[in-house]
Structure formats: C-alpha cells, structure tokens
Amino acid sequence: MPASHAKTSTTANPLERELTLTRVFDAPRDLVFQAWTDPAHLKQWWGPNGFTTPACEVDLRVGGAWKIVMRFPDGSNEHTMQAVYREILPPERLAFTSVALDKDCNRLLEGLTTLTFADLGGKTKLTLQTRVTGLVSYAGRMLEGMEAGWSQSLGRLAEKLASPTTTSDREIVATRVFDAPRELVFQMWTDPKHISNWWGPRDFTTTTYEMDVRPGGVWRHVMHGPDGTDYQNEIVFLEVVKPERLVYNHVSEPPFQTTVTFAGQGGKTKVTARMLFESATLRNKVATEHHAVEGLHQTLARLGEQLTRMAGPADQEFLFTRVFDAPRSLIWKAFTESERLMQWWGPKGYTMLTCTVDLRPGGVFHYSMRSPDGREMWGKWVYREIVPPERLVSVVSFTDAEGNLLRHPMSPTWPLELLHTMTLSEREGKTTLTVTGVPTNATEEERKTFRAGRNSMEAGFTGTLDQLAAYLASGHDVD
Amino acid sequence: MQHDQLSSTFAALADPTRRAILARLASGEASVTQLAEPFEMSMPAISKHLKVLERARLITRGREAQWRPCRLEAAPLKDIAEWIEHYRQFWEQSFDRLDDYLRKLKAKDKRHARKPRKN
C-alpha cells in the first residue's frame, strides 16, 4: 500500500493483520515520549482531524489502564479507546493492547500496538506497529442490550477484562512452588536454551525455531509427542515483566491466552500458570482431547525436575563414577539384559530371585532379591530415555511384587522415586560409568533425608558395582 | 452473520501454515499437492488446513476433474484490509496533529527559554 501522506511511510499486510508506520518528528525523544504518556499532552493531539478529547486517564505502569474519550467533530457521538500497557521503557518503547470499535460501530477488535522512539540527534523517529489480534470474543454479548453511550459500555468491558471471577469456567490453572530464586525460574521460562529442556507434558521434547521475549515477539516451537506426532506452536508475547509476569497468546490452534506469574517466597518461587480460552466449550474440548490439565501439571513438574538437576551435584545429587576394564557395549548389556542382571545386580551379599526387563521408554526393569538376613525385597526401574550404549535414564524405586511403590525398608522418609541417569563412555577399551541420582516428586523432608543419606547410598552402590566388576572379570561374559 | 465471518477469518489467519498457503495462492491457483510441497506435512494435515480456509471462505476448490485446484477468495481479506486502512487513517491524522502540537511546544519553549522553568 503506497503511503498517501508524504511524511509518513506505511507498510500494511492484511495476511499478517499488521500495519507499520514510521515518521520523523522535529522534537527531542523525551518530549515525544511524554506527549504519548502524559494525559495533558494527549488531550491536545489525539485522534483524527476535528475530534476533541474530553477525557483521558493514564495509569502508566505495566498492566495499568489507559482510557481516552474522543468526541466526534459534530459532537454527535463519543468513542472510547480502552488500552492496557504491556511494556513501558522510557523514552524508547511503549506497547499496549487496545480494544476499539470498528467503523460500523458493531464489532470490537483487539490489537497490540508497539511504539519505538529512536533518537536522531534532536529529532525523533517514531515507528508504530499495530497488529490486530482478533475480535473480542465476548463483544457480541457486550454489544447486545446496550443502553447508553460507548464510554459506559466500554467501561464495563474493562471491568470484565479485569475481573478474574467470571473466567473460571474457561480456564485451566496450575500452581507449583519451586525451590529456586524467582530470577532463575523466570529465566527458565524465557531463555530458549533452558525452555527446551523441560517444556511440555511428560515424554514430550521441544525444538525452538525462534524465541523473542518482548511484547509482540514470537516463540515458534515444535513439540514432539511420545507417539511421534509433531505439534507446531506459535506464541506471541503480550506482556513481559521480568521477573514477575508473562502474558502470551497461543495463536496456533487451539487459541488461548496464558498468564504466568512468579511470586517470591523467601528464596522459593510460586508459579501460577493460567490458560484462558475464549469459551468454556473450547476449554473443555482441549482438556478432554489434549489432556491439557494433566499436561500443564506435568510441564510444571518437569520444570521442577530440571531446576533440581541444575542445582548441581554439590547439594542435590548423588554422583558416582567408576572405570571398568571392559568395552562399553558389554557394560550396556550387563545393565539391560535380564539374564546378565541376574548374575550380578544387587548389593553385596544379596541374591537375585527374579528379574524382568522391558527395555523401551516407559518400560520396566522389575526385580526381586533376598537380603543376607533372608528378607525378600522388590524394586523397579521405569525407563525414561534409552540411548544404547551410552545413556540410560530411569526412575528408580522400591516396590512390592506387583510393582506398587514402597518406602525404603530402613528409612520411612527416603524419597519414593529417584531419577537415575547413567552414562557410559569408552576409551582404549575401558569404560567410565557415571551415575547421578536425584529425588523426583519428593517432599522437602524426603530431600533432606536424601541429602543426609547420600553417602551411604554411594557406599551401597559401590558394593553393587564391585559385583559387576567381579562378574566381568570372571570371564563368564563375553561379547 | 458478519460477526461470525470475521471471527472465522481471524481464526483461519492465526496459523502460519495457513497464511503461507494463502500467500502462495495469491500468485495463482494450485493443487493440493503443489500446496503441500513447501511444508514438511502429511497430505491429511494440509487437507485439514484447506478445510479451515474453505470454511472461512478464504479459498474455493474447483470442480475440474481430478485435481480440484484451490483459489484465493479476496472478499474476507478485504474486511481485514479495510480495518487496517481505518487504523492507518487514524494514526496518520493523529501523527499530523502530534507534529503540529510538538512544533507549538517547541516554539513556546523558545519564547520562555530565558525564564527559569520547572521541568
């Protein structure tokens, strides 16, 4: 679309529902920014030719409202624009979402507008980008039965926007407290390097194409499901308040808006994630067909696990390394084939009784053994990740004969589940085995017991691996 | 009715694949196979996108024998283009007024330059 006005350059793209205008003003940047944010200034210039501005209210903070009433040149009608600030960075950037009436006065459209103010040595280049994000979904209801003028109805609309009580039937909410500082948790959510490590429900992996965390910025990513299905996702950020708050629209199907808040609680962080759908019907459809409620909780649980892993071995993990005089492929088999496990698995003095191995993600290694004092014990590994012959990730726990989780026989507050990551690396015919263990889905008390008992666990593991070394040395096993 | 039409236009345009399909159709009609080419997507996935576009009346499918070409329908996009034009006029006129206003402020500033100012 060619610019009709010589001073302003314009590009418009109906497919992207986007409009960009740039213009150079002969005034310093601070003043231009002020003209956009001070109600006394705004009243002087806002609106098309001939319009007047009887009222303007500005609450200049992110999440704050900006209301401006325009009176038509003939005084016949008033038109209110209602906006919410999404980013305020004086004197460089200003972003807001706004709701405005269309030209036929029967529809409400919502748009995100971003302004950038560039300093050109005393002059200011202003770039305005507006993206129409869609129709206001509840506009139909609002517009029916409207008695008075627009400002009143839009005032009610704003109340509706602000009131969370009316949305409970079309939202999915999850909350979780993380044992990590707020800045770190916020970073986990906004740094492409971090987010791919934990995003999505259990057994999903994520590939990020681009992530631009600022109002109007886009996060494009693919979620790979456990059954091989790929889910393309596009997210547009609306609000970015480091390290407190994120608001974004999921623009690919199904559409919804997510608000994530990060609240500090004495070194810990409480995260609330709220997905808001345009209708209860859509919310229920997504909850049923995509298991979104469970998925959101799993996503937060995975963030917790990732934070625990990142806390490092010094505090949280138990870490064990040992070198075996055998090729890597042989060690891998010793850990993953039932006949071989029967020969060596278990602490010193224990005898293996039964052993089944179902080596696939989600599959189980379930075993029983007899202790030196004659008691029968069961345990299992649930495989998470299998990369022969180098990496095996499993959730390890004590169980009964049916595979139900049991407490540690000697310690009632020992974590029910430990996440074991085993890696094997081979060099000159010798193999280094590294095992890290970390509690998963554990309470604070369980983690405390784990921290205190890590040393004894390492001792127990040493005994088990002694048996593996002896088994390998016995020559019973050849590749 | 009009409300529903614009709603489905917005919903259809929210997806990047569908926008890419429309951009391709802007240069002429194409078969489903031709449309699927640039995407790493299965034919059923592409067909699903085409159905959404068809329901939003952004495309029509021909009846010609086997290949049923897809064509872009401009009418719903015109609605959006009109909207953008409406915004453009609004902002341009506001910019003109802002320009005048800033000029006035600067002139006033110069007149008062010798007097001490609060800000």
Side-chain angles (χ1 to χ4, degrees), chain A residues 87-161:
Chain A
E87 190 185 15
I88 301 165
L89 190 67
E92 287 165 37
R93 276 170 78 85
L94 190 67
F96 55 90
T97 43
S98 60
V99 174
L101 197 62
D102 80 348
K103 60 185 195 317
D104 310 324
C105 290
N106 58 15
R107 288 178 298 216
L108 283 169
L109 276 185
E110 200 170 40
L112 173 70
T113 300
T114 306
L115 296 158
T116 49
F117 304 80
D119 182 14
L120 300 180
K123 295 189 181 192
T124 305
K125 182 175 159 192
L126 178 70
T127 305
L128 178 145
Q129 189 188 57
T130 289
R131 183 168 193 182
V132 183
T133 43
L135 282 183
V136 177
S137 56
Y138 36 83
R141 295 206 297 276
M142 289 302 299
L143 295 172
E144 280 167 27
M146 192 154 45
E147 328 79 37
W150 278 107
S151 31
Q152 195 187 336
S153 54
L154 284 164
R156 276 190 280 130
L157 180 67
E159 279 165 31
K160 214 172 167 73
L161 284 168

Side-chain angles (χ1 to χ4, degrees), chain A residues 204-351:
Chain A
F204 276 67
T205 55
T206 298
T207 308
T208 290
Y209 295 128
E210 61 168 310
M211 189 182 206
D212 180 11
V213 187
R214 58 190 168 91
V218 172
W219 176 29
R220 278 199 312 122
H221 62 279
V222 185
M223 288 164 64
H224 313 282
D227 62 353
T229 312
D230 279 354
Y231 302 88
Q232 305 279 339
N233 287 283
E234 186 172 332
I235 275 170
V236 177
F237 291 98
L238 292 177
E239 244 179 71
V240 179
V241 191
K242 190 180 174 182
E244 294 170 22
R245 195 175 144 85
L246 281 175
V247 182
Y248 50 80
N249 276 342
H250 188 260
V251 294
S252 28
E253 290 293 315
F256 57 86
Q257 185 171 97
T258 301
T259 302
V260 192
T261 54
F262 304 79
Q265 292 187 336
K268 296 188 180 191
T269 307
K270 182 181 173 183
V271 171
T272 306
R274 187 184 302 271
M275 298 161 73
L276 181 63
F277 297 84
E278 55 196 34
S279 69
T281 317
L282 182 61
R283 181 248 176 237
N284 294 337
K285 184 171 179 268
V286 173
T288 316
E289 287 176 14
H290 299 281
H291 311 286
V293 179
E294 182 59 17
L296 185 59
H297 281 95
Q298 287 181 358
T299 299
L300 291 184
R302 288 185 64 198
L303 171 57
E305 286 159 23
Q306 180 64 16
L307 282 164
T308 311
R309 273 195 287 280
M310 283 170 58
D315 183 40
Q316 296 283 347
E317 286 191 342
F318 107 110
L319 170 78
F320 192 88
T321 305
R322 176 144 178 170
V323 180
F324 293 94
D325 190 7
R328 178 160 78 164
S329 57
L330 202 58
I331 313 273
W332 178 264
K333 286 178 177 176
F335 265 98
T336 54
E337 293 179 6
S338 58
E339 318 84 66
R340 297 181 198 234
L341 280 159
M342 284 296 282
Q343 306 294 317
W344 69 271
W345 179 248
K348 209 159 194 146
Y350 284 67
T351 333

